[in-house]
Structure formats: C-alpha cells, structure tokens
C-alpha cells in the first residue's frame, strides 16, 4: 500500500470511485471533476498501482476568532468496497492531518455522514443549522406587504460585489463562516444551475442591493438553499418572493443559522398539531490541526491578560499532543510546549476544537465532563477566551 497526493493522471480513477460512492448526476459530475476537483488537493491510497481510497482537502478561508484562517474542507472521503473495514480511513486521515499541517491550514472542517464516525480522529460537531418546512401560505403571512423592491437574475460578473457585501453584512454577528471569493461564488451558482436552480438579487426602492435568494422548485416544494438579507424589510420581501410561487409549490423548505428567530414570528398552530416543522440539525464538524499556530493567529480582547497551562491529548497530531503554557496579552496569544508535571486544565483535541470554534463554552465543557479543570482560579479568564459563538456555514463541497 502506498499513500500519496494524487496527480493529474489519477483524476479518471478518482472520478470513477466518486461515481461509485456518491452520484453521477450530469452536468454536475463532469463539471466538478473539470473545475472543482484538484488532484494536488487529494490524498489517496494505492494498492498495486490502483487507487482504492482517497479524500479531498478543498481550500477555503474561514473567519474564526477575529481573524481569517486558511482551512481544509475534507470532502469526498471514499474507499473502494473491497478495501472497507481494513483500516484505510485510519491511514488516510492520519496522512491528511499531516498534509494540512504542512500547508499551514491550522483548522479543518468536514461534513459528516455520521457525527461520531470521525470523532476518533479528532473532528467534532461544531456547526448546526435551523431547518424550516412550512406550507407556502405561511410565508405569505410573514411577507412584506410594502412595494418598492425589484428582483433580477444574478449575473456573477455584474453582481459579485453586491452578493459579497450582502453576505458579509448578514454574517457580521456570526462566526466560523467562509470568506467567499469570486471563485467560491462561481462554484455555488454553477452547482445551483446544474440542478435547475435559480438565483435572484433584491434591490430596494433606492436601487441598492439588500438581499438574495438561491432556490429550487421540484415536486411541489420550494427549497431555498440560501436566503440572505441586510434588514427586516429585505427579509420579508424575499419571503414575499417565495409566496409569489404559490401556484408552483405547496410547501417551502429553507435553512438558517442555528440562532435564527424566524420561528417565533411565523403563523403556527398548537392544536391539533403544529403547522410548521422547525428543527435543529447537525451540519459540520471542525478540528484544530495545529493548536499553537491556531491560537497564536486569534485576535482576543485586549482586556484579557493571563497565563495558564493545558494538557492536550491528540493521537493523530504529535505536535498537538502534550503540555503547553498559554500566555495572552495585548490581544495576542503565545504558546510554548513544556514538560510540566501538573497543569491548569486537561482535555482532548476534540473538546479543544469545540471550544476554539465556540460550539461550546468553558462552563459547558466542564459540566459535560469534557475538560478537567485543575485550577479554579483561571476560570474567569477562560470564560473570556472560550465562549459560545453563533457559528454558521453553508458550503457543501
């Protein structure tokens, strides 16, 4: 068995294995391997020259803890059926962690088919989304009755800056989101189009871009992939746009950040049963690839001035495994690896990843017995460093 980065010559085998494990829907299937797939970002296991398992490390920039981080999005994790349950994933993910560290990708994200499958390798659930499903007349009740807005089909060359501005404004109080560039938007819109989806931009009465919607209509269901807006007027106008499709759809489905409050204001019933279906569902896992470099890249409140020691257990990244002294001052952290026999706190890379992403706060980690706090005096400062954040991400590959 040989494990290595793929080359251009391996693309055909990678595409074939993807087709076996996932989908071969056209034109997405061909487009993905022509424009998105990059063999230089793929690690594979070869047996007698044949590709039997591989994954992709798609590069993104993610906003975390006050700064932009280069990150690897692990996608397309595949093993040929005759090599499954033989330890291929252990080898492949270990090699992937090494490669990400070499690339100075200090964090990683991964969309799991099972949130526990990747736990032994250090990935833990860090993002959830709110999912809505309602009869279409319900959004009619919520929609904007005022006129003045106009909708137009999105043209990326013309609308890129507007889209990005709306997206960044919408997420200004959120965390963990992708900093999208024009290439990211191109992939999103082409993926949408290849599945017969639609993309519209909303402008207000002053002709200013204030919202957009990406959606599909199929089998009587209007499915919004993204509903993004700058203000409440734009939000209600977008719901009015959805309601205008009442002759084409009977139900509406959309997702939103986990802290979204729309459900509090939708028309609903209690008896005999609720009209709307609103649920919180798991979406994305996160992992810290390099603790020292990740923490040293964060921007902290300048009011934090402290030092503490921590012991991290990480079986797949020896540079993370061990004891560190963490010092934070002037908004920046510095870490030094030590051999202290006693420390202020201890946890696994899984728990540290959730704390870093803000999926849980320090008090939750302690109450869940995910962290051992040996020194209670540092708790006040830890609560300023590791607190809950409004995480949101909506990338699918």
């Amino acid at each position: 068995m040989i494990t290595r980065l793929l080359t251009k010559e391996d693309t055909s085998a990678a595409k074939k294995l993807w087709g076996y494990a996932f989908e071969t829907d056209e034109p997405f299937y061909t487009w993905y391997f022509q424009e998105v797939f990059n063999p230089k970002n793929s690690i594979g296991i070869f047996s007698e020259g044949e590709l039997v398992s591989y994954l992709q490390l798609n590069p993104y920039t993610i906003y975390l803890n006050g700064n932009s981080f280069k990150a690897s999005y692990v996608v397309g994790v595949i093993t040929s059926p005759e090599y499954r349950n033989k330890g291929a994933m252990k080898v492949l993910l270990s090699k992937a962690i090494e490669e990400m560290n070499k690339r100075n990708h200090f964090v990683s994200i991964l969309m799991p088919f099972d949130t526990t499958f990747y736990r032994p390798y250090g990935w833990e659930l860090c993002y959830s989304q709110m999912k809505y499903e309602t009869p279409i007349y319900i959004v009619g009740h919520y929609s904007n009755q005022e006129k003045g807005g106009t909708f137009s089909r999105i043209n990326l060359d013309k609308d890129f800056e507007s889209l990005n501005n709306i997206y960044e404004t919408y997420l200004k109080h959120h965390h963990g989101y992708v900093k999208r560039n024009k290439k990211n938007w191109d992939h999103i819109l082409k993926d949408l189009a290849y599945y017969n989806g639609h993309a519209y931009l909303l402008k207000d009465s002053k002709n200013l871009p204030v919202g957009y919607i990406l959606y599909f209509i199929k089998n009587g269901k209007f499915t919004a992939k993204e509903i993004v807006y700058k203000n409440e007027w734009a939000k209600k106008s977008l719901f009015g746009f959805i309601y205008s499709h009442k002759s084409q759809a009977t139900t509406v489905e959309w997702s939103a950040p986990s802290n979204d409050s729309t459900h509090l204001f939708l028309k609903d019933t209690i008896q005999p049963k609720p009209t709307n279906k609103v649920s919180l569902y798991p979406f994305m896992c996160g992992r810290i690839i390099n603790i020292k470099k990740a923490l040293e890249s964060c921007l902290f409140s300048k009011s934090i001035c402290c030092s503490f020691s921590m012991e991290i257990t990480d079986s797949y990244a020896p540079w993370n495994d061990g004891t560190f002294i963490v010092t934070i001052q002037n908004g920046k952290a510095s870490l030094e690896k030590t051999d202290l026999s006693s420390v202020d706190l201890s946890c696994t890379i899984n728990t540290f990843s959730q704390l870093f992403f803000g999926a849980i706060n320090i008090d939750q980690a302690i109450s869940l017995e995910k962290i051992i706090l040996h020194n209670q005096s540092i708790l006040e400062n830890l609560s300023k460093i590791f607190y809950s954040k409004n995480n949101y991400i909506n990338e699918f590959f």
Side-chain angles (χ1 to χ4, degrees):
M1 293 274 193
I2 296 174
T3 305
R4 62 168 173 82
L5 289 172
L6 271 58
T7 65
K8 186 177 180 180
E9 289 69 31
D10 301 314
T11 300
S12 178
K15 182 179 179 181
K16 182 178 179 182
L17 202 51
W18 172 292
Y20 179 85
F22 302 121
E23 77 283 336
T24 58
D25 296 341
E26 293 289 6
F28 174 87
Y29 183 47
T30 296
W31 166 76
Y32 184 87
F33 280 89
Q34 284 180 343
E35 295 192 31
V36 181
F37 176 81
N38 186 341
K40 294 180 181 179
N41 294 329
S42 303
I43 299 174
I45 297 177
F46 294 80
S47 177
E48 298 180 354
E50 180 184 357
L51 180 65
V52 298
S53 183
Y54 80 101
L55 57 76
Q56 298 167 59
L57 303 175
N58 288 347
Y60 280 90
T61 300
I62 299 178
Y63 177 79
L64 289 166
N65 298 315
N67 210 347
S68 295
F69 284 75
K70 297 297 182 184
S72 289
Y73 185 173
V74 180
V75 300
V77 183
I78 310 165
T79 300
S80 187
E82 66 270 31
Y83 287 90
R84 293 175 184 174
N85 301 313
K86 294 184 178 180
M89 278 301 101
K90 185 175 182 179
V91 173
L92 198 59
L93 288 167
S94 179
K95 187 70 173 178
I97 291 168
E98 289 179 16
E99 181 64 27
M100 286 185 272
N101 193 48
K102 287 180 184 177
R103 296 183 179 200
N104 286 325
H105 287 192
F106 311 145
V107 299
S108 171
I109 55 173
L110 181 156
M111 186 184 295
F113 71 91
D114 179 335
T115 57
T116 64
F117 181 84
Y118 295 96
R119 180 170 291 159
Y121 308 103
W123 277 271
E124 205 70 62
L125 185 67
C126 290
Y127 297 82
S128 297
Q129 287 189 353
M130 191 82 80
K131 180 175 280 188
Y132 293 86
E133 185 174 351
T134 77
I136 197 167
Y137 74 85
I138 294 294
V139 300
H141 284 277
Y142 189 75
S143 64
N144 198 345
Q145 303 302 315
E146 299 176 27
K147 304 298 180 182
T150 59
F151 287 88
S152 60
R153 286 189 179 275
I154 290 172
N155 179 314
L156 185 58
D157 289 332
K158 179 169 63 75
D159 298 324
F160 167 65
E161 295 294 342
S162 296
L163 284 174
N164 232 27
N165 179 260
I166 296 165
Y167 173 78
E168 292 275 348
T169 301
Y170 178 72
L171 293 174
K172 66 182 178 181
H173 297 303
H174 290 79
H175 178 260
Y177 59 89
V178 166
K179 303 283 286 186
R180 290 177 180 172
N181 55 34
K182 194 170 183 179
K183 185 177 180 180
N184 298 144
W185 277 108
D186 182 61
H187 288 168
I188 289 168
L189 295 175
K190 283 182 177 175
D191 174 42
L192 185 77
Y194 289 150
Y195 285 102
N196 298 312
H198 309 276
Y200 277 84
L201 181 71
L202 168 65
K203 293 183 179 180
D204 63 15
S205 58
K206 296 180 181 178
N207 205 37
L208 297 175
V210 290
Y212 69 82
I213 183 168
L214 314 179
Y215 66 97
F216 311 87
I217 302 175
K218 187 176 181 180
N219 299 327
K221 179 179 285 189
F222 187 110
T223 302
K225 192 172 182 180
E226 280 192 3
I227 304 174
V228 178
Y229 42 85
K230 283 189 170 185
N231 52 48
E232 185 68 10
W233 178 90
K235 179 182 179 181
K236 290 187 174 182
S237 294
L238 289 165
F239 277 102
F241 179 83
I242 295 172
Y243 183 61
S244 72
H245 293 80
K246 59 185 176 296
S247 64
Q248 297 165 264
T250 56
T251 60
V252 182
E253 183 177 281
W254 74 94
S255 60
S258 58
N259 64 331
D260 183 74
S261 60
T262 306
H263 62 283
L264 299 174
F265 305 99
L266 293 177
K267 174 181 168 60
D268 209 334
T269 57
I270 304 300
Q271 297 292 341
K273 62 180 181 179
T275 302
N276 307 321
K277 296 178 182 178
V278 184
S279 59
L280 190 68
Y281 71 106
F283 192 72
M284 193 79 74
C285 289
R287 190 198 203 280
I288 303 305
I289 299 300
N290 190 305
I291 285 176
K292 174 178 169 63
K293 293 180 178 178
L295 266 179
E296 289 181 344
S297 298
C298 295
L299 299 178
F300 297 99
S301 168
K302 290 189 177 181
S303 65
I304 301 172
C305 185
C306 67
S307 182
F308 60 91
S309 58
M310 63 180 186
E311 181 184 27
I312 303 295
T313 304
D314 190 343
S315 302
Y316 288 89
W319 53 89
N320 287 337
D321 193 67
T323 303
F324 298 84
I325 293 177
V326 182
T327 302
I328 300 178
Q329 58 184 3
N330 298 320
K332 296 288 290 183
S334 62
L335 275 75
E336 179 184 352
K337 206 164 189 182
T338 73
D339 56 359
L340 290 174
S341 57
S342 61
V343 293
D344 294 325
L345 65 93
S346 306
C347 68
T348 64
I349 189 63
N350 301 64
T351 299
F352 184 84
S353 295
Q354 287 187 312
L355 287 168
F356 186 92
F357 274 85
I360 58 175
N361 61 41
I362 193 69
D363 290 328
Q364 289 171 319
I366 293 169
S367 65
L368 291 167
E369 299 181 355
K370 296 295 185 181
I371 193 169
I372 301 174
L373 187 63
H374 305 284
N375 180 2
Q376 291 290 330
S377 69
I378 67 168
L379 183 57
E380 183 178 350
N381 279 318
L382 289 178
S383 67
K384 297 176 183 177
I385 300 165
F386 301 117
Y387 55 92
S388 298
K389 302 177 180 72
N390 296 324
N391 290 348
Y392 180 70
I393 199 166
N394 199 38
E395 321 303 306
F396 287 81
F397 56 80

